[in-house]
């Protein structure tokens, strides 16, 4: 399953990188690369069964701490 995931991500990267580099869109290529690496990492962790924290918990924590500052 991991090999299939990596293969699909590599195909996506190859397709996008060739287009962006051919058109010399370097900023877009940098942004794509950063998002692509983060998505690959998250997908690999999920595929390997690593328990990940809920993003909602982090958002609630930030909102609660911000609310305490303005009381």
């Amino acid at each position: 399953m991991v090999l299939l995931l990596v293969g699909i991500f590599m195909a996506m990267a190859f397709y996008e990188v060739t287009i962006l580099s051919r058109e010399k869109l370097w900023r877009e290529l940098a942004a794509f690369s950063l998002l692509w690496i983060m998505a690959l990492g998250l997908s690999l962790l999920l595929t390997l069964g690593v328990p990940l924290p809920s993003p909602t918990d982090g958002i609630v924590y930030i909102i609660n701490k911000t609310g305490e500052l303005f009381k």
Side-chain angles (χ1 to χ4, degrees):
M1 189 59 125
V2 173
L3 291 177
L4 177 64
L5 178 72
V6 172
I8 290 171
F9 267 85
M10 288 298 163
M12 288 176 11
F14 180 74
Y15 177 74
E16 289 294 328
V17 168
T18 54
I19 292 172
L20 292 172
S21 62
R22 186 179 327 130
E23 295 181 12
K24 295 183 169 93
L25 299 171
W26 306 119
R27 289 182 183 166
E28 288 82 355
L29 180 59
F32 170 78
S33 299
L34 178 68
L35 291 173
W36 183 85
I37 289 169
M38 291 186 331
L40 177 62
L42 181 60
S43 298
L44 281 173
L45 289 173
L46 289 172
T47 302
L48 295 173
V50 175
L52 299 174
S54 171
T56 307
D57 295 338
I59 293 169
V60 169
Y61 176 79
I62 290 171
I63 289 172
N64 288 339
K65 287 296 180 181
T66 306
E68 291 175 7
L69 293 175
F70 295 110
K71 284 186 178 178

